[in-house]
Amino acid sequence: MRKFILAWLLGCCVAGAATAADSDDLPAMKGSYTLADGRVLYVSYHQRTLYAQIDAGPEVALQPAGGAVWQSANGGLRITFQQYDNGVVSGVQLVARRE
């Protein structure tokens, strides 16, 4: 129960547009996304893997969780890329869970 109570959802504004139609287009998802609380989510792509980093925190590898949803291996960080029908990313939803 605590895990759900301690979960929070942060909205964001897009600092730059990106596109992602399929796995070959994953490098285009990289960019920086300003979160509602002022922190910045950086999404990078290297070695065929997406990574997330909040401000100067550690870089975390992301795994596909279905559709436009990506998450860390332990599920503590979950990012949903909000996309238009043409694949352009219009924003992200970040869910972080602390235990």
Coordinates of all heavy atoms in Angstrom, one line a residue:
M1 N 0.8 -1.2 0.0 CA 0.0 0.0 0.0 C 0.9 1.3 0.0 O 0.5 2.2 -0.7 CB -0.9 0.0 1.2 CG -1.9 1.1 1.3 SD -3.1 0.9 0.0 CE -4.3 2.1 0.6
R2 N 2.0 1.2 0.8 CA 2.8 2.4 0.8 C 3.4 2.8 -0.6 O 3.6 3.9 -0.9 CB 4.0 2.2 1.8 CG 3.6 2.3 3.2 CD 4.9 2.3 4.0 NE 4.6 2.0 5.4 CZ 5.4 1.7 6.3 NH1 6.7 1.6 6.0 NH2 5.0 1.5 7.5
K3 N 3.7 1.7 -1.4 CA 4.3 2.0 -2.7 C 3.3 2.8 -3.5 O 3.8 3.7 -4.2 CB 4.6 0.7 -3.4 CG 5.7 -0.1 -2.8 CD 5.9 -1.4 -3.6 CE 6.9 -2.3 -2.9 NZ 7.1 -3.5 -3.6
F4 N 2.0 2.6 -3.4 CA 1.1 3.3 -4.2 C 0.9 4.7 -3.6 O 0.7 5.7 -4.3 CB -0.2 2.6 -4.3 CG -0.1 1.2 -4.9 CD1 -0.2 0.1 -4.2 CD2 0.1 1.2 -6.3 CE1 -0.1 -1.1 -4.9 CE2 0.2 0.0 -7.0 CZ 0.2 -1.2 -6.2
I5 N 0.9 4.8 -2.3 CA 0.8 6.1 -1.7 C 2.0 7.0 -2.0 O 1.8 8.2 -2.2 CB 0.6 6.0 -0.1 CG1 -0.7 5.3 0.2 CG2 0.7 7.3 0.6 CD1 -0.9 4.9 1.6
L6 N 3.1 6.5 -2.1 CA 4.3 7.2 -2.3 C 4.6 7.5 -3.8 O 5.5 8.2 -4.1 CB 5.6 6.6 -1.7 CG 5.5 6.4 -0.2 CD1 6.7 5.6 0.3 CD2 5.5 7.8 0.5
A7 N 3.8 6.9 -4.7 CA 3.9 7.2 -6.1 C 3.4 8.6 -6.4 O 2.5 9.1 -5.8 CB 3.2 6.2 -6.9
W8 N 4.1 9.3 -7.3 CA 3.6 10.6 -7.7 C 3.7 10.7 -9.3 O 4.5 10.0 -9.9 CB 4.3 11.7 -7.0 CG 5.7 11.9 -7.4 CD1 6.3 12.6 -8.4 CD2 6.9 11.3 -6.8 NE1 7.6 12.5 -8.4 CE2 8.0 11.7 -7.4 CE3 7.0 10.4 -5.7 CZ2 9.3 11.3 -7.0 CZ3 8.3 10.0 -5.3 CH2 9.4 10.4 -6.0
L9 N 2.8 11.5 -9.8 CA 2.8 11.7 -11.2 C 3.2 13.2 -11.5 O 2.6 14.1 -10.9 CB 1.4 11.4 -11.7 CG 1.1 11.6 -13.2 CD1 2.0 10.6 -14.0 CD2 -0.3 11.4 -13.5
L10 N 4.1 13.4 -12.4 CA 4.5 14.7 -12.7 C 4.2 15.0 -14.2 O 4.5 14.2 -15.1 CB 6.1 14.9 -12.6 CG 6.6 14.6 -11.1 CD1 8.1 14.6 -11.1 CD2 6.1 15.7 -10.2
G11 N 3.6 16.1 -14.5 CA 3.3 16.5 -15.9 C 4.5 17.2 -16.4 O 5.5 17.4 -15.7
C12 N 4.5 17.6 -17.7 CA 5.7 18.3 -18.2 C 5.3 19.1 -19.4 O 4.3 19.0 -19.9 CB 6.8 17.3 -18.6 SG 6.5 16.6 -20.2
C13 N 6.2 20.0 -19.7 CA 6.2 20.7 -21.0 C 7.3 20.2 -21.8 O 8.3 19.8 -21.3 CB 6.4 22.2 -20.7 SG 5.2 22.9 -19.6
V14 N 7.1 20.2 -23.1 CA 8.2 19.7 -24.0 C 9.2 20.8 -24.3 O 8.8 21.9 -24.7 CB 7.5 19.1 -25.3 CG1 8.6 18.7 -26.3 CG2 6.6 18.0 -25.0
A15 N 10.4 20.5 -24.1 CA 11.5 21.4 -24.5 C 11.9 21.3 -25.9 O 12.6 22.1 -26.5 CB 12.7 21.2 -23.6
G16 N 11.6 20.2 -26.5 CA 11.9 19.9 -27.9 C 11.1 18.8 -28.4 O 10.8 17.8 -27.7
A17 N 10.7 18.8 -29.7 CA 9.8 17.7 -30.2 C 10.7 16.5 -30.6 O 11.9 16.7 -31.0 CB 9.1 18.2 -31.4
A18 N 10.2 15.4 -30.5 CA 10.9 14.2 -31.0 C 9.9 13.3 -31.7 O 8.7 13.4 -31.5 CB 11.5 13.4 -29.8
T19 N 10.3 12.3 -32.4 CA 9.4 11.4 -33.1 C 9.8 10.0 -32.7 O 11.0 9.7 -32.4 CB 9.4 11.5 -34.6 OG1 10.8 11.3 -35.1 CG2 9.0 12.9 -35.0
A20 N 8.9 9.0 -32.8 CA 9.2 7.6 -32.5 C 8.1 6.8 -33.1 O 7.0 6.6 -32.5 CB 9.3 7.4 -31.0
A21 N 8.3 6.3 -34.3 CA 7.3 5.4 -34.9 C 7.5 4.0 -34.6 O 6.6 3.2 -34.4 CB 7.3 5.7 -36.4
D22 N 8.8 3.5 -34.6 CA 9.1 2.1 -34.2 C 10.5 2.1 -33.6 O 11.1 3.1 -33.4 CB 9.0 1.2 -35.5 CG 9.9 1.7 -36.6 OD1 11.0 2.1 -36.3 OD2 9.5 1.5 -37.8
S23 N 11.0 0.9 -33.4 CA 12.3 0.8 -32.7 C 13.4 1.4 -33.5 O 14.4 1.8 -32.8 CB 12.6 -0.7 -32.4 OG 12.7 -1.4 -33.5
D24 N 13.3 1.5 -34.8 CA 14.4 2.1 -35.5 C 14.4 3.6 -35.3 O 15.4 4.2 -35.6 CB 14.2 1.8 -37.0 CG 14.5 0.3 -37.4 OD1 15.2 -0.3 -36.6 OD2 13.9 -0.2 -38.4
D25 N 13.3 4.2 -34.8 CA 13.3 5.6 -34.6 C 13.5 6.0 -33.2 O 13.3 7.2 -32.8 CB 11.9 6.1 -35.0 CG 11.6 6.0 -36.5 OD1 12.6 6.1 -37.3 OD2 10.5 5.8 -36.9
L26 N 13.9 5.1 -32.4 CA 14.2 5.4 -30.9 C 15.2 6.5 -30.7 O 15.0 7.3 -29.8 CB 14.6 4.2 -30.2 CG 13.5 3.1 -30.0 CD1 14.1 1.9 -29.2 CD2 12.3 3.7 -29.3
P27 N 16.2 6.7 -31.5 CA 17.1 7.8 -31.3 C 16.4 9.1 -31.4 O 16.8 10.1 -30.7 CB 18.2 7.7 -32.4 CG 18.1 6.2 -32.8 CD 16.7 5.8 -32.6
A28 N 15.3 9.2 -32.1 CA 14.6 10.5 -32.2 C 13.8 10.8 -31.0 O 13.3 12.0 -30.8 CB 13.7 10.4 -33.4
M29 N 13.6 9.9 -30.1 CA 12.9 10.2 -28.8 C 13.8 10.9 -27.8 O 13.2 11.5 -26.8 CB 12.4 8.8 -28.2 CG 11.4 8.1 -29.0 SD 10.9 6.6 -28.3 CE 9.7 7.1 -27.1
K30 N 15.0 11.0 -28.1 CA 15.9 11.7 -27.1 C 15.6 13.1 -27.1 O 15.1 13.7 -28.1 CB 17.4 11.4 -27.5 CG 17.9 12.0 -28.8 CD 19.3 11.5 -29.0 CE 19.7 12.1 -30.4 NZ 21.1 11.7 -30.7
G31 N 15.9 13.7 -26.0 CA 15.7 15.2 -25.8 C 15.6 15.5 -24.4 O 15.8 14.7 -23.5
S32 N 15.2 16.7 -24.1 CA 15.1 17.2 -22.7 C 13.6 17.6 -22.6 O 13.0 18.3 -23.5 CB 16.0 18.3 -22.4 OG 16.0 19.4 -23.3
Y33 N 13.0 17.3 -21.4 CA 11.6 17.6 -21.1 C 11.6 18.2 -19.8 O 12.0 17.7 -18.8 CB 10.8 16.3 -21.1 CG 10.9 15.5 -22.4 CD1 11.9 14.5 -22.6 CD2 10.0 15.7 -23.5 CE1 12.0 13.8 -23.8 CE2 10.1 15.0 -24.7 CZ 11.1 14.1 -24.8 OH 11.2 13.4 -26.0
T34 N 11.0 19.4 -19.7 CA 10.9 20.2 -18.5 C 9.7 19.7 -17.7 O 8.6 19.7 -18.2 CB 10.8 21.7 -18.7 OG1 12.0 22.1 -19.5 CG2 10.8 22.4 -17.4
L35 N 9.9 19.2 -16.5 CA 8.8 18.7 -15.7 C 8.1 19.8 -14.9 O 8.7 20.9 -14.8 CB 9.4 17.7 -14.7 CG 10.1 16.5 -15.3 CD1 10.7 15.6 -14.2 CD2 9.2 15.7 -16.2
A36 N 6.9 19.6 -14.5 CA 6.1 20.6 -13.8 C 6.8 21.2 -12.6 O 6.6 22.4 -12.3 CB 4.7 20.0 -13.4
D37 N 7.6 20.4 -11.9 CA 8.3 21.0 -10.7 C 9.6 21.7 -11.0 O 10.3 22.0 -10.1 CB 8.5 19.9 -9.7 CG 9.4 18.8 -10.2 OD1 9.9 18.8 -11.3 OD2 9.7 17.8 -9.4
G38 N 9.9 21.8 -12.3 CA 11.1 22.6 -12.7 C 12.3 21.7 -13.0 O 13.3 22.2 -13.6
R39 N 12.3 20.4 -12.6 CA 13.4 19.5 -12.9 C 13.3 19.2 -14.4 O 12.3 19.4 -15.1 CB 13.3 18.2 -12.1 CG 13.5 18.4 -10.6 CD 13.4 17.2 -9.9 NE 12.1 16.5 -10.1 CZ 11.8 15.2 -9.8 NH1 12.8 14.5 -9.3 NH2 10.7 14.7 -10.0
V40 N 14.4 18.7 -14.9 CA 14.5 18.4 -16.4 C 14.8 16.9 -16.5 O 15.7 16.4 -15.9 CB 15.6 19.2 -17.1 CG1 15.7 18.8 -18.5 CG2 15.4 20.7 -16.9
L41 N 14.0 16.3 -17.3 CA 14.2 14.9 -17.7 C 14.9 14.8 -19.0 O 14.5 15.4 -20.0 CB 12.8 14.2 -17.8 CG 12.8 12.8 -18.5 CD1 13.5 11.8 -17.5 CD2 11.4 12.3 -18.8
Y42 N 16.1 14.2 -19.0 CA 16.9 14.0 -20.2 C 16.7 12.6 -20.7 O 16.9 11.6 -19.9 CB 18.4 14.3 -19.9 CG 18.6 15.7 -19.5 CD1 18.8 16.0 -18.1 CD2 18.7 16.7 -20.4 CE1 19.0 17.3 -17.7 CE2 19.0 18.0 -19.9 CZ 19.1 18.3 -18.6 OH 19.4 19.6 -18.2
V43 N 16.4 12.4 -21.9 CA 16.3 11.1 -22.5 C 17.4 11.0 -23.6 O 17.4 11.8 -24.5 CB 14.9 10.8 -23.2 CG1 14.8 9.5 -23.8 CG2 13.8 11.0 -22.1
S44 N 18.2 10.0 -23.5 CA 19.3 9.8 -24.4 C 19.2 8.4 -25.0 O 18.5 7.5 -24.5 CB 20.7 10.0 -23.7 OG 20.8 9.0 -22.7
Y45 N 19.9 8.2 -26.1 CA 19.9 6.9 -26.8 C 21.3 6.6 -27.2 O 22.0 7.4 -27.9 CB 19.0 7.0 -28.0 CG 19.0 5.8 -28.9 CD1 18.2 4.7 -28.6 CD2 19.8 5.7 -30.0 CE1 18.2 3.6 -29.3 CE2 19.8 4.5 -30.8 CZ 19.0 3.5 -30.4 OH 19.0 2.3 -31.2
H46 N 21.8 5.5 -26.7 CA 23.1 4.9 -27.2 C 23.1 3.4 -27.0 O 22.5 2.9 -26.1 CB 24.3 5.7 -26.6 CG 24.2 5.9 -25.1 ND1 24.7 4.9 -24.2 CD2 23.7 6.8 -24.3 CE1 24.5 5.4 -22.9 NE2 23.9 6.5 -23.0
Q47 N 23.9 2.8 -27.8 CA 24.0 1.3 -27.8 C 22.6 0.7 -27.9 O 22.3 -0.3 -27.2 CB 24.8 0.8 -26.6 CG 26.2 1.4 -26.5 CD 27.0 0.9 -25.3 OE1 26.4 0.5 -24.3 NE2 28.3 1.1 -25.3
R48 N 21.8 1.2 -28.7 CA 20.4 0.7 -29.0 C 19.5 0.6 -27.7 O 18.6 -0.2 -27.6 CB 20.5 -0.7 -29.7 CG 21.2 -0.6 -31.0 CD 21.2 -1.9 -31.8 NE 19.9 -2.4 -32.1 CZ 19.0 -2.0 -33.0 NH1 19.4 -1.0 -33.8 NH2 17.8 -2.6 -33.2
T49 N 19.8 1.5 -26.8 CA 19.0 1.6 -25.5 C 18.6 3.0 -25.2 O 19.5 3.9 -25.4 CB 19.8 1.0 -24.4 OG1 20.2 -0.4 -24.7 CG2 19.0 0.9 -23.1
L50 N 17.4 3.2 -24.7 CA 17.0 4.5 -24.2 C 17.4 4.7 -22.7 O 17.3 3.7 -22.0 CB 15.5 4.7 -24.3 CG 14.8 5.0 -25.6 CD1 13.3 5.1 -25.4 CD2 15.4 6.3 -26.2
Y51 N 17.9 5.8 -22.4 CA 18.3 6.1 -21.0 C 17.5 7.4 -20.5 O 17.3 8.3 -21.3 CB 19.8 6.3 -20.9 CG 20.6 5.1 -21.1 CD1 20.9 4.8 -22.4 CD2 21.0 4.3 -20.1 CE1 21.7 3.6 -22.7 CE2 21.7 3.1 -20.4 CZ 22.1 2.8 -21.7 OH 22.8 1.7 -21.9
A52 N 17.2 7.4 -19.2 CA 16.6 8.6 -18.6 C 17.5 9.1 -17.5 O 18.1 8.3 -16.8 CB 15.2 8.3 -18.1
Q53 N 17.5 10.4 -17.3 CA 18.3 11.1 -16.3 C 17.5 12.3 -15.8 O 17.0 13.1 -16.7 CB 19.6 11.5 -16.8 CG 20.5 12.2 -15.8 CD 21.9 12.5 -16.4 OE1 22.1 12.4 -17.6 NE2 22.8 12.9 -15.5
I54 N 17.3 12.5 -14.5 CA 16.6 13.7 -14.0 C 17.7 14.6 -13.4 O 18.4 14.2 -12.5 CB 15.6 13.3 -13.0 CG1 14.5 12.4 -13.7 CG2 14.9 14.6 -12.4 CD1 13.5 11.8 -12.7
D55 N 17.7 15.8 -14.0 CA 18.8 16.8 -13.6 C 20.1 16.1 -13.7 O 20.5 15.5 -14.7 CB 18.5 17.4 -12.3 CG 17.3 18.4 -12.3 OD1 17.0 18.9 -13.4 OD2 16.6 18.6 -11.3
A56 N 20.9 16.2 -12.6 CA 22.3 15.6 -12.6 C 22.3 14.3 -12.0 O 23.3 13.8 -11.6 CB 23.2 16.6 -11.9
G57 N 21.1 13.6 -11.8 CA 21.0 12.3 -11.2 C 21.6 11.2 -12.1 O 22.1 11.5 -13.2
P58 N 21.6 10.0 -11.6 CA 22.2 8.9 -12.4 C 21.3 8.6 -13.6 O 20.1 8.8 -13.7 CB 22.1 7.7 -11.4 CG 21.0 8.1 -10.5 CD 21.0 9.6 -10.3
E59 N 22.0 8.1 -14.6 CA 21.4 7.7 -15.9 C 20.8 6.3 -15.7 O 21.5 5.4 -15.2 CB 22.4 7.7 -17.0 CG 21.8 7.6 -18.4 CD 22.8 7.8 -19.5 OE1 23.8 7.0 -19.5 OE2 22.7 8.7 -20.2
V60 N 19.6 6.1 -16.1 CA 18.9 4.8 -15.9 C 18.4 4.3 -17.2 O 17.8 5.0 -18.0 CB 17.6 5.0 -15.0 CG1 16.9 3.7 -14.8 CG2 18.0 5.6 -13.6
A61 N 18.8 3.0 -17.5 CA 18.4 2.3 -18.7 C 16.9 2.1 -18.7 O 16.3 1.8 -17.6 CB 19.1 1.0 -18.9
L62 N 16.2 2.3 -19.8 CA 14.8 2.0 -19.9 C 14.5 0.8 -20.8 O 15.2 0.6 -21.8 CB 14.1 3.3 -20.5 CG 14.3 4.6 -19.8 CD1 13.6 5.7 -20.6 CD2 13.6 4.5 -18.4
Q63 N 13.5 0.1 -20.4 CA 13.0 -1.1 -21.2 C 11.6 -0.8 -21.7 O 10.8 -0.1 -21.0 CB 13.0 -2.3 -20.3 CG 14.3 -2.6 -19.7 CD 14.2 -3.7 -18.7 OE1 13.1 -4.1 -18.2 NE2 15.4 -4.3 -18.3
P64 N 11.2 -1.3 -22.9 CA 9.9 -1.1 -23.3 C 8.9 -1.8 -22.4 O 9.1 -2.9 -21.9 CB 9.9 -1.8 -24.7 CG 11.1 -2.6 -24.8 CD 12.0 -2.1 -23.8
A65 N 7.8 -1.2 -22.1 CA 6.7 -1.7 -21.3 C 5.4 -1.8 -22.0 O 4.4 -2.1 -21.4 CB 6.6 -0.9 -20.0
G66 N 5.5 -1.6 -23.3 CA 4.3 -1.7 -24.2 C 3.9 -0.3 -24.7 O 3.8 0.7 -24.0
G67 N 3.6 -0.2 -26.0 CA 3.3 1.0 -26.6 C 4.3 2.1 -26.4 O 5.5 1.9 -26.7
A68 N 3.9 3.2 -26.0 CA 4.8 4.4 -25.8 C 5.3 4.4 -24.4 O 5.8 5.5 -23.9 CB 4.0 5.7 -26.1
V69 N 5.2 3.3 -23.6 CA 5.6 3.3 -22.2 C 7.0 2.6 -22.1 O 7.2 1.5 -22.6 CB 4.6 2.6 -21.3 CG1 5.0 2.6 -19.9 CG2 3.2 3.2 -21.5
W70 N 7.9 3.3 -21.3 CA 9.2 2.7 -21.1 C 9.4 2.8 -19.6 O 8.9 3.7 -18.9 CB 10.2 3.6 -21.8 CG 10.1 3.4 -23.3 CD1 9.2 4.0 -24.1 CD2 11.0 2.6 -24.1 NE1 9.4 3.6 -25.4 CE2 10.5 2.7 -25.4 CE3 12.0 1.7 -23.8 CZ2 11.1 2.0 -26.5 CZ3 12.6 1.0 -24.9 CH2 12.1 1.2 -26.2
Q71 N 10.1 1.8 -19.0 CA 10.4 1.8 -17.6 C 11.8 1.3 -17.2 O 12.4 0.6 -18.1 CB 9.3 1.0 -16.8 CG 9.4 -0.5 -17.1 CD 8.2 -1.2 -16.4 OE1 7.3 -0.6 -16.0 NE2 8.4 -2.5 -16.3
S72 N 12.2 1.6 -16.0 CA 13.5 1.1 -15.5 C 13.3 -0.4 -15.2 O 12.2 -0.9 -15.1 CB 13.9 1.8 -14.3 OG 13.0 1.7 -13.2
A73 N 14.4 -1.1 -15.1 CA 14.4 -2.6 -14.9 C 13.6 -2.9 -13.6 O 12.8 -3.9 -13.6 CB 15.8 -3.1 -14.8
N74 N 13.6 -2.1 -12.6 CA 12.9 -2.4 -11.3 C 11.5 -1.8 -11.3 O 10.8 -2.0 -10.3 CB 13.7 -2.0 -10.1 CG 13.9 -0.5 -10.0 OD1 13.3 0.3 -10.8 ND2 14.6 0.0 -9.0
G75 N 11.1 -1.1 -12.4 CA 9.8 -0.5 -12.4 C 9.7 0.7 -11.6 O 8.6 1.3 -11.5
G76 N 10.7 1.2 -11.0 CA 10.6 2.4 -10.1 C 10.5 3.7 -10.9 O 10.0 4.7 -10.4
L77 N 10.8 3.7 -12.2 CA 10.7 4.8 -13.1 C 9.9 4.4 -14.3 O 10.3 3.4 -14.9 CB 12.1 5.4 -13.4 CG 12.1 6.6 -14.3 CD1 11.5 7.8 -13.6 CD2 13.5 6.9 -14.8
R78 N 8.9 5.1 -14.6 CA 8.0 4.7 -15.7 C 7.7 6.0 -16.5 O 7.2 7.0 -15.9 CB 6.7 4.1 -15.2 CG 5.9 3.5 -16.3 CD 4.7 2.7 -15.6 NE 3.8 2.1 -16.6 CZ 3.9 0.9 -17.0 NH1 4.8 0.1 -16.4 NH2 3.1 0.4 -17.8
I79 N 8.0 6.0 -17.8 CA 7.8 7.2 -18.6 C 6.9 6.8 -19.8 O 7.1 5.8 -20.5 CB 9.1 7.7 -19.2 CG1 10.1 8.0 -18.1 CG2 8.9 8.8 -20.2 CD1 11.5 8.3 -18.6
T80 N 5.8 7.6 -19.9 CA 4.9 7.4 -21.0 C 5.1 8.6 -22.0 O 4.9 9.8 -21.6 CB 3.4 7.4 -20.6 OG1 3.3 6.3 -19.6 CG2 2.5 7.2 -21.7
F81 N 5.5 8.3 -23.2 CA 5.7 9.4 -24.2 C 4.3 9.6 -24.8 O 3.7 8.7 -25.4 CB 6.7 8.9 -25.3 CG 8.1 8.8 -24.7 CD1 8.6 7.7 -24.2 CD2 8.9 10.0 -24.8 CE1 9.9 7.6 -23.7 CE2 10.2 9.9 -24.3 CZ 10.7 8.7 -23.8
Q82 N 3.9 10.9 -24.8 CA 2.6 11.2 -25.4 C 2.9 11.6 -26.8 O 3.7 12.5 -27.0 CB 2.0 12.4 -24.6 CG 1.7 12.0 -23.1 CD 1.5 13.2 -22.3 OE1 1.8 14.4 -22.6 NE2 0.8 13.0 -21.1
Q83 N 2.2 10.9 -27.7 CA 2.5 11.1 -29.1 C 1.3 11.5 -29.9 O 0.2 11.0 -29.7 CB 3.2 9.9 -29.7 CG 4.5 9.5 -29.1 CD 5.0 8.2 -29.6 OE1 4.5 7.2 -29.2 NE2 6.0 8.3 -30.6
Y84 N 1.5 12.3 -31.0 CA 0.5 12.5 -32.0 C 0.4 11.3 -32.9 O 1.3 10.4 -32.9 CB 0.8 13.8 -32.8 CG 0.8 15.0 -32.0 CD1 1.9 15.8 -31.8 CD2 -0.4 15.5 -31.4 CE1 1.9 17.0 -31.1 CE2 -0.4 16.7 -30.7 CZ 0.7 17.4 -30.5 OH 0.7 18.6 -29.8
D85 N -0.6 11.2 -33.7 CA -0.7 10.1 -34.6 C 0.5 9.9 -35.6 O 0.8 8.8 -36.0 CB -2.0 10.2 -35.5 CG -3.2 9.9 -34.6 OD1 -3.1 9.3 -33.5 OD2 -4.3 10.4 -35.1
N86 N 1.1 11.0 -35.9 CA 2.3 11.0 -36.8 C 3.6 10.6 -36.1 O 4.7 10.6 -36.6 CB 2.5 12.3 -37.5 CG 2.8 13.5 -36.6 OD1 2.9 13.3 -35.4 ND2 2.9 14.7 -37.2
G87 N 3.5 10.3 -34.7 CA 4.7 9.9 -34.0 C 5.4 11.0 -33.3 O 6.3 10.8 -32.5
V88 N 5.1 12.3 -33.5 CA 5.7 13.4 -32.8 C 5.4 13.4 -31.3 O 4.2 13.2 -30.9 CB 5.3 14.8 -33.4 CG1 5.8 15.9 -32.6 CG2 5.8 14.9 -34.8
V89 N 6.4 13.4 -30.5 CA 6.2 13.4 -29.0 C 5.8 14.8 -28.6 O 6.5 15.8 -28.8 CB 7.5 13.0 -28.3 CG1 7.3 13.1 -26.8 CG2 7.9 11.5 -28.7
S90 N 4.7 14.9 -27.9 CA 4.1 16.2 -27.5 C 4.4 16.4 -26.0 O 4.2 17.5 -25.5 CB 2.6 16.3 -27.8 OG 1.9 15.3 -27.0
G91 N 4.8 15.4 -25.3 CA 5.1 15.5 -23.9 C 5.4 14.1 -23.3 O 5.3 13.1 -24.0
V92 N 5.6 14.1 -22.0 CA 5.8 12.9 -21.3 C 5.1 12.9 -20.0 O 4.8 14.0 -19.4 CB 7.3 12.6 -21.0 CG1 8.1 12.4 -22.3 CG2 7.9 13.6 -20.1
Q93 N 4.8 11.7 -19.5 CA 4.3 11.6 -18.1 C 5.3 10.7 -17.4 O 5.7 9.7 -17.9 CB 2.9 10.8 -18.1 CG 1.8 11.7 -18.4 CD 0.5 10.9 -18.3 OE1 0.4 9.7 -18.5 NE2 -0.5 11.6 -17.8
L94 N 5.8 11.2 -16.3 CA 6.8 10.5 -15.5 C 6.2 10.0 -14.2 O 5.5 10.8 -13.5 CB 7.9 11.4 -15.2 CG 9.0 10.9 -14.2 CD1 9.8 9.9 -14.9 CD2 9.9 12.1 -13.8
V95 N 6.3 8.7 -13.9 CA 5.9 8.2 -12.6 C 7.1 7.6 -12.0 O 7.8 6.7 -12.6 CB 4.8 7.1 -12.8 CG1 4.4 6.5 -11.5 CG2 3.6 7.7 -13.5
A96 N 7.4 8.0 -10.8 CA 8.5 7.5 -10.0 C 8.0 7.0 -8.7 O 7.1 7.6 -8.1 CB 9.5 8.6 -9.8
R97 N 8.4 5.8 -8.4 CA 8.0 5.1 -7.1 C 9.1 5.0 -6.2 O 10.2 4.5 -6.6 CB 7.4 3.8 -7.5 CG 6.7 3.1 -6.4 CD 6.1 1.8 -6.9 NE 6.8 1.3 -8.0 CZ 6.6 0.0 -8.4 NH1 5.8 -0.8 -7.8 NH2 7.3 -0.4 -9.4
R98 N 9.0 5.4 -5.0 CA 10.0 5.2 -4.0 C 9.5 4.2 -3.0 O 8.4 4.2 -2.6 CB 10.3 6.5 -3.2 CG 11.0 7.5 -4.2 CD 11.6 8.6 -3.4 NE 12.4 9.4 -4.3 CZ 12.7 10.6 -4.1 NH1 12.4 11.2 -2.9 NH2 13.3 11.4 -5.0
E99 N 10.4 3.4 -2.5 CA 10.1 2.4 -1.5 C 10.6 2.7 -0.1 O 11.6 3.4 0.0 CB 10.6 1.0 -2.0 CG 9.9 0.6 -3.3 CD 10.4 -0.7 -3.8 OE1 10.9 -1.5 -3.0 OE2 10.2 -0.9 -5.0

